[in-house]
Amino acid sequence: MKRVLAVGTRAHREFVDITERVQEVVRASGVREGQCLLFVPHTTAGLTINENDDPDVPRDMLTGLTDLLGDESRFRHYEGNAGAHLLSSLLGVSLTIFIAEGELALGRWQAIYFGEFDGPRQREVWVRIVGED
Amino acid sequence: MKRVLAVGTRAHREFVDITERVQEVVRASGVREGQCLLFVPHTTAGLTINENDDPDVPRDMLTGLTDLLGDESRFRHYEGNAGAHLLSSLLGVSLTIFIAEGELALGRWQAIYFGEFDGPRQREVWVRIVGED
Amino acid sequence: MKRVLAVGTRAHREFVDITERVQEVVRASGVREGQCLLFVPHTTAGLTINENDDPDVPRDMLTGLTDLLGDESRFRHYEGNAGAHLLSSLLGVSLTIFIAEGELALGRWQAIYFGEFDGPRQREVWVRIVGED
């Protein structure tokens, strides 16, 4: 089963917590045991799993990631967003999460974040549910 | 089939080679062809695959990763471990490894490392074996 | 179904676009819906998905990644390629891509890159096709 989630961002670089929306897809699938696969079909965005208890965590992650890029004016890509492409590759565009007892099997403090690094944009996250026999 | 491995660390930041323990889960499953999925349900830890022949490789990786963080006092997260969260996101918390002829299909020099970046801690690694028909 | 792609590099650090070769494996498999799993069995190489429209994007990514390493002479690994190992871990050695309607389901601008960070080398990329029922 495949589903497409529309995710919009409002800032240049932003993390959006999509955990609940993915959880809804898992529940609607009726799969009790298996995997939930996520894929972002964009090249300036990515996916990661991290803490969502303190909003300073995704903020600090954006700070730390942006600082990794250094002076972005040294990049040559004509669109000027090479740094966003690099952050997409550093986080990756796919995730595999277990499904157990009909729910996403995440740790207590884990949330699924969609990160956009060249927004604001209207984007997609693809979700696929694979059940185990 | 799902199994939970308990992994303890003794240092603040440390890589632990868990290859043999995952291999045992694969062998016990009886699956000949398929995938071994790993997932870390923590937000200051991660998984990676790299060389285990020279112990300087994981040491150098810790040096390189820590240096990526820069001055961690600029982060605002009240627990003071935002750098550990960022390293978790840079490495990722999930891995997919092929199973071939009943064994983990790794390259000759590859080992599976659990990395903890805010230890010492007692942690879990979840393992799921998916057989192909 | 598993296939091995041979990928050669000619520079010390280089990204090679392998999208079409993976697409051929997918088409040859006859699988209409499922997943394409990729794995690199080497410790100084990795896989990533990013834009292939402007050749400056992979070039800028190499610049940005190399600059992350800083002064590599501080690493202790006797082979002198610890930086390449770190880049392998930052990108990762596995990818999961959806198959839809018999084709790789990539975004419009997405390509699959094999990255070698201690070349030139002759390397392998393992491909596994998993069909959904």
Side-chain angles (χ1 to χ4, degrees), chain A residues 37 39-43 68 74-79 82 85 89 126 128, chain C residues 33 35 48 50-51 54 56 59-61 67 98-99 105 107 110 132:
Chain A
L37 309 176
F39 189 86
V40 165
H42 311 291
T43 58
L68 290 181
R74 78 189 186 287
F75 297 130
R76 298 185 296 183
H77 179 40
Y78 72 93
E79 292 183 289
H85 289 293
S89 280
W126 297 347
R128 204 149 193 163
Chain C
E33 302 291 323
Q35 286 82 46
T48 194
N50 221 303
E51 190 195 301
D54 176 4
D56 276 338
R59 277 185 216 129
D60 286 343
M61 287 204 296
D67 290 350
F98 299 173
I99 297 170
Q110 286 182 317
E132 278 180 26

PDB file of all heavy atoms in Angstrom, chain A residues 37 39-43 68 74-79 82 85 89 126 128, chain C residues 33 35 48 50-51 54 56 59-61 67 98-99 105 107 110 132:
ATOM      1  N   LEU A  37       7.914   2.157   5.115  1.00  0.00           N
ATOM      2  CA  LEU A  37       9.007   2.750   4.344  1.00  0.00           C
ATOM      3  C   LEU A  37       8.609   4.157   3.926  1.00  0.00           C
ATOM      4  O   LEU A  37       7.492   4.376   3.437  1.00  0.00           O
ATOM      5  CB  LEU A  37       9.279   1.921   3.087  1.00  0.00           C
ATOM      6  CG  LEU A  37       9.463   0.416   3.286  1.00  0.00           C
ATOM      7  CD1 LEU A  37       9.620  -0.280   1.938  1.00  0.00           C
ATOM      8  CD2 LEU A  37      10.667   0.141   4.166  1.00  0.00           C
ATOM      9  N   PHE A  39       9.858   7.779   1.796  1.00  0.00           N
ATOM     10  CA  PHE A  39      10.770   8.257   0.750  1.00  0.00           C
ATOM     11  C   PHE A  39      10.381   9.679   0.366  1.00  0.00           C
ATOM     12  O   PHE A  39       9.206   9.973   0.148  1.00  0.00           O
ATOM     13  CB  PHE A  39      10.694   7.334  -0.478  1.00  0.00           C
ATOM     14  CG  PHE A  39      11.751   7.618  -1.515  1.00  0.00           C
ATOM     15  CD1 PHE A  39      13.005   7.046  -1.416  1.00  0.00           C
ATOM     16  CD2 PHE A  39      11.491   8.475  -2.574  1.00  0.00           C
ATOM     17  CE1 PHE A  39      13.987   7.304  -2.365  1.00  0.00           C
ATOM     18  CE2 PHE A  39      12.466   8.749  -3.530  1.00  0.00           C
ATOM     19  CZ  PHE A  39      13.716   8.159  -3.428  1.00  0.00           C
ATOM     20  N   VAL A  40      11.386  10.534   0.276  1.00  0.00           N
ATOM     21  CA  VAL A  40      11.173  11.924  -0.137  1.00  0.00           C
ATOM     22  C   VAL A  40      11.697  12.090  -1.569  1.00  0.00           C
ATOM     23  O   VAL A  40      12.887  11.886  -1.815  1.00  0.00           O
ATOM     24  CB  VAL A  40      11.925  12.884   0.806  1.00  0.00           C
ATOM     25  CG1 VAL A  40      12.021  14.275   0.203  1.00  0.00           C
ATOM     26  CG2 VAL A  40      11.239  12.942   2.157  1.00  0.00           C
ATOM     27  N   PRO A  41      10.836  12.440  -2.525  1.00  0.00           N
ATOM     28  CA  PRO A  41      11.260  12.515  -3.931  1.00  0.00           C
ATOM     29  C   PRO A  41      11.825  13.875  -4.315  1.00  0.00           C
ATOM     30  O   PRO A  41      11.658  14.306  -5.449  1.00  0.00           O
ATOM     31  CB  PRO A  41       9.955  12.217  -4.681  1.00  0.00           C
ATOM     32  CG  PRO A  41       8.894  12.799  -3.800  1.00  0.00           C
ATOM     33  CD  PRO A  41       9.374  12.612  -2.378  1.00  0.00           C
ATOM     34  N   HIS A  42      12.501  14.544  -3.389  1.00  0.00           N
ATOM     35  CA  HIS A  42      13.038  15.885  -3.632  1.00  0.00           C
ATOM     36  C   HIS A  42      14.528  15.913  -3.288  1.00  0.00           C
ATOM     37  O   HIS A  42      15.000  15.116  -2.495  1.00  0.00           O
ATOM     38  CB  HIS A  42      12.280  16.919  -2.806  1.00  0.00           C
ATOM     39  CG  HIS A  42      10.801  16.800  -2.929  1.00  0.00           C
ATOM     40  ND1 HIS A  42      10.140  17.109  -4.083  1.00  0.00           N
ATOM     41  CD2 HIS A  42       9.857  16.357  -2.056  1.00  0.00           C
ATOM     42  CE1 HIS A  42       8.840  16.898  -3.919  1.00  0.00           C
ATOM     43  NE2 HIS A  42       8.637  16.435  -2.697  1.00  0.00           N
ATOM     44  N   THR A  43      15.255  16.869  -3.857  1.00  0.00           N
ATOM     45  CA  THR A  43      16.716  16.870  -3.713  1.00  0.00           C
ATOM     46  C   THR A  43      17.246  17.963  -2.782  1.00  0.00           C
ATOM     47  O   THR A  43      18.460  18.083  -2.620  1.00  0.00           O
ATOM     48  CB  THR A  43      17.392  17.013  -5.099  1.00  0.00           C
ATOM     49  OG1 THR A  43      16.940  18.215  -5.701  1.00  0.00           O
ATOM     50  CG2 THR A  43      17.064  15.829  -5.987  1.00  0.00           C
ATOM     51  N   LEU A  68      27.572  23.330   9.271  1.00  0.00           N
ATOM     52  CA  LEU A  68      28.431  22.384   8.542  1.00  0.00           C
ATOM     53  C   LEU A  68      28.758  22.876   7.139  1.00  0.00           C
ATOM     54  O   LEU A  68      29.782  22.520   6.567  1.00  0.00           O
ATOM     55  CB  LEU A  68      27.738  21.018   8.399  1.00  0.00           C
ATOM     56  CG  LEU A  68      27.559  20.164   9.647  1.00  0.00           C
ATOM     57  CD1 LEU A  68      26.865  18.850   9.265  1.00  0.00           C
ATOM     58  CD2 LEU A  68      28.894  19.876  10.314  1.00  0.00           C
ATOM     59  N   ARG A  74      31.000  29.591  -1.904  1.00  0.00           N
ATOM     60  CA  ARG A  74      32.047  28.881  -2.650  1.00  0.00           C
ATOM     61  C   ARG A  74      31.469  27.818  -3.575  1.00  0.00           C
ATOM     62  O   ARG A  74      32.171  27.303  -4.442  1.00  0.00           O
ATOM     63  CB  ARG A  74      33.048  28.247  -1.684  1.00  0.00           C
ATOM     64  CG  ARG A  74      32.586  26.949  -1.005  1.00  0.00           C
ATOM     65  CD  ARG A  74      33.569  26.564   0.081  1.00  0.00           C
ATOM     66  NE  ARG A  74      33.349  25.277   0.723  1.00  0.00           N
ATOM     67  CZ  ARG A  74      32.372  24.996   1.590  1.00  0.00           C
ATOM     68  NH1 ARG A  74      31.455  25.885   1.910  1.00  0.00           N
ATOM     69  NH2 ARG A  74      32.299  23.792   2.138  1.00  0.00           N
ATOM     70  N   PHE A  75      30.221  27.457  -3.416  1.00  0.00           N
ATOM     71  CA  PHE A  75      29.618  26.442  -4.285  1.00  0.00           C
ATOM     72  C   PHE A  75      29.298  27.047  -5.648  1.00  0.00           C
ATOM     73  O   PHE A  75      29.040  28.253  -5.766  1.00  0.00           O
ATOM     74  CB  PHE A  75      28.355  25.859  -3.632  1.00  0.00           C
ATOM     75  CG  PHE A  75      28.626  25.127  -2.342  1.00  0.00           C
ATOM     76  CD1 PHE A  75      27.883  25.408  -1.193  1.00  0.00           C
ATOM     77  CD2 PHE A  75      29.615  24.151  -2.260  1.00  0.00           C
ATOM     78  CE1 PHE A  75      28.123  24.735  -0.001  1.00  0.00           C
ATOM     79  CE2 PHE A  75      29.865  23.474  -1.069  1.00  0.00           C
ATOM     80  CZ  PHE A  75      29.115  23.766   0.057  1.00  0.00           C
ATOM     81  N   ARG A  76      29.295  26.198  -6.687  1.00  0.00           N
ATOM     82  CA  ARG A  76      29.164  26.705  -8.046  1.00  0.00           C
ATOM     83  C   ARG A  76      27.802  26.469  -8.684  1.00  0.00           C
ATOM     84  O   ARG A  76      27.507  27.018  -9.738  1.00  0.00           O
ATOM     85  CB  ARG A  76      30.245  26.060  -8.920  1.00  0.00           C
ATOM     86  CG  ARG A  76      31.647  26.431  -8.411  1.00  0.00           C
ATOM     87  CD  ARG A  76      32.714  25.914  -9.334  1.00  0.00           C
ATOM     88  NE  ARG A  76      32.705  24.445  -9.380  1.00  0.00           N
ATOM     89  CZ  ARG A  76      33.583  23.708 -10.063  1.00  0.00           C
ATOM     90  NH1 ARG A  76      34.532  24.307 -10.768  1.00  0.00           N
ATOM     91  NH2 ARG A  76      33.531  22.395 -10.054  1.00  0.00           N
ATOM     92  N   HIS A  77      26.984  25.612  -8.079  1.00  0.00           N
ATOM     93  CA  HIS A  77      25.675  25.297  -8.663  1.00  0.00           C
ATOM     94  C   HIS A  77      24.888  26.585  -8.923  1.00  0.00           C
ATOM     95  O   HIS A  77      24.709  27.408  -8.034  1.00  0.00           O
ATOM     96  CB  HIS A  77      24.932  24.375  -7.691  1.00  0.00           C
ATOM     97  CG  HIS A  77      23.561  23.988  -8.125  1.00  0.00           C
ATOM     98  ND1 HIS A  77      23.232  23.687  -9.433  1.00  0.00           N
ATOM     99  CD2 HIS A  77      22.424  23.847  -7.405  1.00  0.00           C
ATOM    100  CE1 HIS A  77      21.944  23.371  -9.497  1.00  0.00           C
ATOM    101  NE2 HIS A  77      21.434  23.471  -8.281  1.00  0.00           N
ATOM    102  N   TYR A  78      24.421  26.733 -10.166  1.00  0.00           N
ATOM    103  CA  TYR A  78      23.847  28.015 -10.587  1.00  0.00           C
ATOM    104  C   TYR A  78      22.585  28.405  -9.838  1.00  0.00           C
ATOM    105  O   TYR A  78      22.215  29.578  -9.792  1.00  0.00           O
ATOM    106  CB  TYR A  78      23.586  28.017 -12.108  1.00  0.00           C
ATOM    107  CG  TYR A  78      22.426  27.148 -12.524  1.00  0.00           C
ATOM    108  CD1 TYR A  78      21.142  27.664 -12.667  1.00  0.00           C
ATOM    109  CD2 TYR A  78      22.620  25.780 -12.772  1.00  0.00           C
ATOM    110  CE1 TYR A  78      20.086  26.857 -13.039  1.00  0.00           C
ATOM    111  CE2 TYR A  78      21.575  24.973 -13.140  1.00  0.00           C
ATOM    112  CZ  TYR A  78      20.312  25.513 -13.279  1.00  0.00           C
ATOM    113  OH  TYR A  78      19.270  24.706 -13.638  1.00  0.00           O
ATOM    114  N   GLU A  79      21.918  27.425  -9.230  1.00  0.00           N
ATOM    115  CA  GLU A  79      20.708  27.786  -8.498  1.00  0.00           C
ATOM    116  C   GLU A  79      21.003  28.330  -7.091  1.00  0.00           C
ATOM    117  O   GLU A  79      20.094  28.791  -6.406  1.00  0.00           O
ATOM    118  CB  GLU A  79      19.785  26.568  -8.367  1.00  0.00           C
ATOM    119  CG  GLU A  79      19.197  26.120  -9.700  1.00  0.00           C
ATOM    120  CD  GLU A  79      18.238  24.961  -9.495  1.00  0.00           C
ATOM    121  OE1 GLU A  79      18.691  23.833  -9.191  1.00  0.00           O
ATOM    122  OE2 GLU A  79      17.020  25.173  -9.634  1.00  0.00           O
ATOM    123  N   ALA A  82      23.254  24.722  -3.437  1.00  0.00           N
ATOM    124  CA  ALA A  82      24.054  23.499  -3.291  1.00  0.00           C
ATOM    125  C   ALA A  82      24.095  23.036  -1.832  1.00  0.00           C
ATOM    126  O   ALA A  82      24.106  21.834  -1.550  1.00  0.00           O
ATOM    127  CB  ALA A  82      25.474  23.722  -3.820  1.00  0.00           C
ATOM    128  N   HIS A  85      21.240  20.841  -1.143  1.00  0.00           N
ATOM    129  CA  HIS A  85      21.447  19.499  -1.708  1.00  0.00           C
ATOM    130  C   HIS A  85      22.346  18.667  -0.797  1.00  0.00           C
ATOM    131  O   HIS A  85      22.092  17.484  -0.561  1.00  0.00           O
ATOM    132  CB  HIS A  85      22.071  19.604  -3.108  1.00  0.00           C
ATOM    133  CG  HIS A  85      21.147  20.129  -4.156  1.00  0.00           C
ATOM    134  ND1 HIS A  85      20.039  19.427  -4.586  1.00  0.00           N
ATOM    135  CD2 HIS A  85      21.140  21.285  -4.862  1.00  0.00           C
ATOM    136  CE1 HIS A  85      19.405  20.131  -5.528  1.00  0.00           C
ATOM    137  NE2 HIS A  85      20.046  21.277  -5.697  1.00  0.00           N
ATOM    138  N   SER A  89      21.591  15.032   1.233  1.00  0.00           N
ATOM    139  CA  SER A  89      22.404  13.808   1.176  1.00  0.00           C
ATOM    140  C   SER A  89      22.921  13.390   2.551  1.00  0.00           C
ATOM    141  O   SER A  89      23.060  12.201   2.825  1.00  0.00           O
ATOM    142  CB  SER A  89      23.576  13.992   0.205  1.00  0.00           C
ATOM    143  OG  SER A  89      23.136  13.811  -1.135  1.00  0.00           O
ATOM    144  N   TRP A 126       6.466  10.064   0.421  1.00  0.00           N
ATOM    145  CA  TRP A 126       5.807   8.824   0.010  1.00  0.00           C
ATOM    146  C   TRP A 126       5.915   7.797   1.139  1.00  0.00           C
ATOM    147  O   TRP A 126       6.974   7.625   1.743  1.00  0.00           O
ATOM    148  CB  TRP A 126       6.460   8.258  -1.247  1.00  0.00           C
ATOM    149  CG  TRP A 126       6.349   9.148  -2.456  1.00  0.00           C
ATOM    150  CD1 TRP A 126       5.540  10.243  -2.615  1.00  0.00           C
ATOM    151  CD2 TRP A 126       7.102   9.029  -3.681  1.00  0.00           C
ATOM    152  NE1 TRP A 126       5.730  10.794  -3.870  1.00  0.00           N
ATOM    153  CE2 TRP A 126       6.671  10.070  -4.547  1.00  0.00           C
ATOM    154  CE3 TRP A 126       8.067   8.131  -4.146  1.00  0.00           C
ATOM    155  CZ2 TRP A 126       7.201  10.241  -5.827  1.00  0.00           C
ATOM    156  CZ3 TRP A 126       8.591   8.300  -5.420  1.00  0.00           C
ATOM    157  CH2 TRP A 126       8.151   9.335  -6.255  1.00  0.00           C
ATOM    158  N   ARG A 128       5.055   3.721   2.228  1.00  0.00           N
ATOM    159  CA  ARG A 128       4.688   2.392   1.760  1.00  0.00           C
ATOM    160  C   ARG A 128       4.663   1.448   2.961  1.00  0.00           C
ATOM    161  O   ARG A 128       5.596   1.446   3.760  1.00  0.00           O
ATOM    162  CB  ARG A 128       5.715   1.895   0.749  1.00  0.00           C
ATOM    163  CG  ARG A 128       5.172   0.862  -0.166  1.00  0.00           C
ATOM    164  CD  ARG A 128       5.872   0.954  -1.511  1.00  0.00           C
ATOM    165  NE  ARG A 128       5.156   0.182  -2.490  1.00  0.00           N
ATOM    166  CZ  ARG A 128       5.322   0.317  -3.796  1.00  0.00           C
ATOM    167  NH1 ARG A 128       6.160   1.197  -4.280  1.00  0.00           N
ATOM    168  NH2 ARG A 128       4.643  -0.433  -4.633  1.00  0.00           N
TER     169      ARG A 128
ATOM    170  N   GLU C  33       5.504  -3.774  -8.511  1.00  0.00           N
ATOM    171  CA  GLU C  33       5.399  -3.000  -7.269  1.00  0.00           C
ATOM    172  C   GLU C  33       6.299  -3.643  -6.233  1.00  0.00           C
ATOM    173  O   GLU C  33       6.260  -4.864  -6.060  1.00  0.00           O
ATOM    174  CB  GLU C  33       3.955  -2.995  -6.738  1.00  0.00           C
ATOM    175  CG  GLU C  33       2.927  -2.431  -7.704  1.00  0.00           C
ATOM    176  CD  GLU C  33       3.081  -0.920  -7.923  1.00  0.00           C
ATOM    177  OE1 GLU C  33       3.402  -0.220  -6.942  1.00  0.00           O
ATOM    178  OE2 GLU C  33       2.895  -0.469  -9.070  1.00  0.00           O
ATOM    179  N   GLN C  35      10.232  -2.995  -3.821  1.00  0.00           N
ATOM    180  CA  GLN C  35      11.361  -2.161  -3.397  1.00  0.00           C
ATOM    181  C   GLN C  35      12.624  -2.612  -4.105  1.00  0.00           C
ATOM    182  O   GLN C  35      12.814  -3.800  -4.355  1.00  0.00           O
ATOM    183  CB  GLN C  35      11.609  -2.273  -1.880  1.00  0.00           C
ATOM    184  CG  GLN C  35      10.603  -1.549  -1.022  1.00  0.00           C
ATOM    185  CD  GLN C  35       9.345  -2.361  -0.809  1.00  0.00           C
ATOM    186  OE1 GLN C  35       9.419  -3.538  -0.517  1.00  0.00           O
ATOM    187  NE2 GLN C  35       8.192  -1.720  -0.975  1.00  0.00           N
ATOM    188  N   THR C  48      24.138   7.799  -2.383  1.00  0.00           N
ATOM    189  CA  THR C  48      23.224   8.887  -2.059  1.00  0.00           C
ATOM    190  C   THR C  48      22.338   9.170  -3.260  1.00  0.00           C
ATOM    191  O   THR C  48      22.637   8.744  -4.380  1.00  0.00           O
ATOM    192  CB  THR C  48      23.983  10.151  -1.616  1.00  0.00           C
ATOM    193  OG1 THR C  48      23.051  11.057  -1.005  1.00  0.00           O
ATOM    194  CG2 THR C  48      24.651  10.854  -2.801  1.00  0.00           C
ATOM    195  N   ASN C  50      20.575  12.355  -5.277  1.00  0.00           N
ATOM    196  CA  ASN C  50      20.548  13.802  -5.375  1.00  0.00           C
ATOM    197  C   ASN C  50      20.360  14.220  -6.832  1.00  0.00           C
ATOM    198  O   ASN C  50      20.138  13.370  -7.697  1.00  0.00           O
ATOM    199  CB  ASN C  50      21.816  14.418  -4.768  1.00  0.00           C
ATOM    200  CG  ASN C  50      21.494  15.671  -3.973  1.00  0.00           C
ATOM    201  OD1 ASN C  50      20.902  16.614  -4.513  1.00  0.00           O
ATOM    202  ND2 ASN C  50      21.829  15.687  -2.696  1.00  0.00           N
ATOM    203  N   GLU C  51      20.399  15.516  -7.065  1.00  0.00           N
ATOM    204  CA  GLU C  51      20.131  16.056  -8.392  1.00  0.00           C
ATOM    205  C   GLU C  51      21.217  15.691  -9.402  1.00  0.00           C
ATOM    206  O   GLU C  51      22.402  15.699  -9.082  1.00  0.00           O
ATOM    207  CB  GLU C  51      20.055  17.590  -8.300  1.00  0.00           C
ATOM    208  CG  GLU C  51      19.543  18.221  -9.589  1.00  0.00           C
ATOM    209  CD  GLU C  51      19.802  19.711  -9.664  1.00  0.00           C
ATOM    210  OE1 GLU C  51      19.317  20.437  -8.787  1.00  0.00           O
ATOM    211  OE2 GLU C  51      20.490  20.136 -10.609  1.00  0.00           O
ATOM    212  N   ASP C  54      22.424  19.474 -13.069  1.00  0.00           N
ATOM    213  CA  ASP C  54      23.599  20.339 -13.183  1.00  0.00           C
ATOM    214  C   ASP C  54      24.797  19.588 -12.598  1.00  0.00           C
ATOM    215  O   ASP C  54      24.805  19.265 -11.411  1.00  0.00           O
ATOM    216  CB  ASP C  54      23.347  21.632 -12.381  1.00  0.00           C
ATOM    217  CG  ASP C  54      24.569  22.547 -12.366  1.00  0.00           C
ATOM    218  OD1 ASP C  54      25.587  22.229 -13.020  1.00  0.00           O
ATOM    219  OD2 ASP C  54      24.501  23.589 -11.677  1.00  0.00           O
ATOM    220  N   ASP C  56      27.397  20.575 -11.544  1.00  0.00           N
ATOM    221  CA  ASP C  56      27.984  21.265 -10.394  1.00  0.00           C
ATOM    222  C   ASP C  56      27.419  20.756  -9.067  1.00  0.00           C
ATOM    223  O   ASP C  56      28.052  20.959  -8.029  1.00  0.00           O
ATOM    224  CB  ASP C  56      27.747  22.780 -10.496  1.00  0.00           C
ATOM    225  CG  ASP C  56      28.808  23.460 -11.360  1.00  0.00           C
ATOM    226  OD1 ASP C  56      29.909  22.884 -11.513  1.00  0.00           O
ATOM    227  OD2 ASP C  56      28.532  24.558 -11.874  1.00  0.00           O
ATOM    228  N   ARG C  59      29.661  17.949  -7.904  1.00  0.00           N
ATOM    229  CA  ARG C  59      30.966  18.586  -7.633  1.00  0.00           C
ATOM    230  C   ARG C  59      30.914  19.379  -6.326  1.00  0.00           C
ATOM    231  O   ARG C  59      31.811  19.286  -5.491  1.00  0.00           O
ATOM    232  CB  ARG C  59      31.331  19.540  -8.779  1.00  0.00           C
ATOM    233  CG  ARG C  59      31.961  18.844  -9.966  1.00  0.00           C
ATOM    234  CD  ARG C  59      32.412  19.882 -11.018  1.00  0.00           C
ATOM    235  NE  ARG C  59      32.216  19.351 -12.364  1.00  0.00           N
ATOM    236  CZ  ARG C  59      31.587  19.970 -13.362  1.00  0.00           C
ATOM    237  NH1 ARG C  59      31.094  21.193 -13.196  1.00  0.00           N
ATOM    238  NH2 ARG C  59      31.445  19.381 -14.533  1.00  0.00           N
ATOM    239  N   ASP C  60      29.860  20.168  -6.155  1.00  0.00           N
ATOM    240  CA  ASP C  60      29.723  20.935  -4.913  1.00  0.00           C
ATOM    241  C   ASP C  60      29.577  20.008  -3.713  1.00  0.00           C
ATOM    242  O   ASP C  60      30.083  20.314  -2.628  1.00  0.00           O
ATOM    243  CB  ASP C  60      28.511  21.866  -4.993  1.00  0.00           C
ATOM    244  CG  ASP C  60      28.752  23.079  -5.888  1.00  0.00           C
ATOM    245  OD1 ASP C  60      29.917  23.384  -6.195  1.00  0.00           O
ATOM    246  OD2 ASP C  60      27.754  23.730  -6.270  1.00  0.00           O
ATOM    247  N   MET C  61      28.881  18.898  -3.899  1.00  0.00           N
ATOM    248  CA  MET C  61      28.735  17.959  -2.778  1.00  0.00           C
ATOM    249  C   MET C  61      30.104  17.413  -2.381  1.00  0.00           C
ATOM    250  O   MET C  61      30.404  17.300  -1.185  1.00  0.00           O
ATOM    251  CB  MET C  61      27.774  16.828  -3.134  1.00  0.00           C
ATOM    252  CG  MET C  61      26.317  17.313  -3.159  1.00  0.00           C
ATOM    253  SD  MET C  61      25.159  15.952  -2.883  1.00  0.00           S
ATOM    254  CE  MET C  61      25.500  14.953  -4.339  1.00  0.00           C
ATOM    255  N   ASP C  67      35.415  19.294   2.687  1.00  0.00           N
ATOM    256  CA  ASP C  67      35.678  20.358   3.651  1.00  0.00           C
ATOM    257  C   ASP C  67      35.221  19.973   5.062  1.00  0.00           C
ATOM    258  O   ASP C  67      35.750  20.498   6.048  1.00  0.00           O
ATOM    259  CB  ASP C  67      34.983  21.654   3.212  1.00  0.00           C
ATOM    260  CG  ASP C  67      35.640  22.258   1.966  1.00  0.00           C
ATOM    261  OD1 ASP C  67      36.722  21.788   1.571  1.00  0.00           O
ATOM    262  OD2 ASP C  67      35.064  23.191   1.380  1.00  0.00           O
ATOM    263  N   PHE C  98      11.488   2.815  -3.822  1.00  0.00           N
ATOM    264  CA  PHE C  98      10.256   2.125  -4.205  1.00  0.00           C
ATOM    265  C   PHE C  98      10.296   1.767  -5.685  1.00  0.00           C
ATOM    266  O   PHE C  98      10.888   2.487  -6.510  1.00  0.00           O
ATOM    267  CB  PHE C  98       9.031   3.018  -3.986  1.00  0.00           C
ATOM    268  CG  PHE C  98       8.806   3.436  -2.556  1.00  0.00           C
ATOM    269  CD1 PHE C  98       7.818   4.362  -2.235  1.00  0.00           C
ATOM    270  CD2 PHE C  98       9.564   2.926  -1.510  1.00  0.00           C
ATOM    271  CE1 PHE C  98       7.596   4.765  -0.932  1.00  0.00           C
ATOM    272  CE2 PHE C  98       9.349   3.327  -0.195  1.00  0.00           C
ATOM    273  CZ  PHE C  98       8.356   4.246   0.090  1.00  0.00           C
ATOM    274  N   ILE C  99       9.621   0.671  -6.023  1.00  0.00           N
ATOM    275  CA  ILE C  99       9.342   0.327  -7.420  1.00  0.00           C
ATOM    276  C   ILE C  99       7.840   0.502  -7.625  1.00  0.00           C
ATOM    277  O   ILE C  99       7.042  -0.009  -6.837  1.00  0.00           O
ATOM    278  CB  ILE C  99       9.749  -1.121  -7.743  1.00  0.00           C
ATOM    279  CG1 ILE C  99      11.265  -1.298  -7.568  1.00  0.00           C
ATOM    280  CG2 ILE C  99       9.322  -1.509  -9.157  1.00  0.00           C
ATOM    281  CD1 ILE C  99      11.724  -2.753  -7.635  1.00  0.00           C
ATOM    282  N   ALA C 105      10.874   4.391  -8.566  1.00  0.00           N
ATOM    283  CA  ALA C 105      10.030   5.549  -8.270  1.00  0.00           C
ATOM    284  C   ALA C 105      10.894   6.651  -7.668  1.00  0.00           C
ATOM    285  O   ALA C 105      11.013   6.777  -6.449  1.00  0.00           O
ATOM    286  CB  ALA C 105       8.899   5.145  -7.319  1.00  0.00           C
ATOM    287  N   GLY C 107      11.983  10.901  -7.690  1.00  0.00           N
ATOM    288  CA  GLY C 107      11.490  12.224  -8.022  1.00  0.00           C
ATOM    289  C   GLY C 107      12.098  12.710  -9.328  1.00  0.00           C
ATOM    290  O   GLY C 107      13.120  12.184  -9.791  1.00  0.00           O
ATOM    291  N   GLN C 110      15.797  13.440  -9.210  1.00  0.00           N
ATOM    292  CA  GLN C 110      16.645  12.544  -8.423  1.00  0.00           C
ATOM    293  C   GLN C 110      17.418  11.525  -9.267  1.00  0.00           C
ATOM    294  O   GLN C 110      16.848  10.902 -10.171  1.00  0.00           O
ATOM    295  CB  GLN C 110      15.798  11.767  -7.409  1.00  0.00           C
ATOM    296  CG  GLN C 110      15.350  12.616  -6.235  1.00  0.00           C
ATOM    297  CD  GLN C 110      14.566  11.813  -5.225  1.00  0.00           C
ATOM    298  OE1 GLN C 110      13.712  10.994  -5.596  1.00  0.00           O
ATOM    299  NE2 GLN C 110      14.833  12.040  -3.951  1.00  0.00           N
ATOM    300  N   GLU C 132       6.213  -6.921  -4.112  1.00  0.00           N
ATOM    301  CA  GLU C 132       5.091  -7.028  -3.175  1.00  0.00           C
ATOM    302  C   GLU C 132       4.021  -7.901  -3.792  1.00  0.00           C
ATOM    303  O   GLU C 132       3.797  -7.867  -4.993  1.00  0.00           O
ATOM    304  CB  GLU C 132       4.483  -5.653  -2.916  1.00  0.00           C
ATOM    305  CG  GLU C 132       5.245  -4.882  -1.895  1.00  0.00           C
ATOM    306  CD  GLU C 132       4.624  -3.524  -1.667  1.00  0.00           C
ATOM    307  OE1 GLU C 132       3.417  -3.371  -1.895  1.00  0.00           O
ATOM    308  OE2 GLU C 132       5.369  -2.614  -1.289  1.00  0.00           O
TER     309      GLU C 132
END
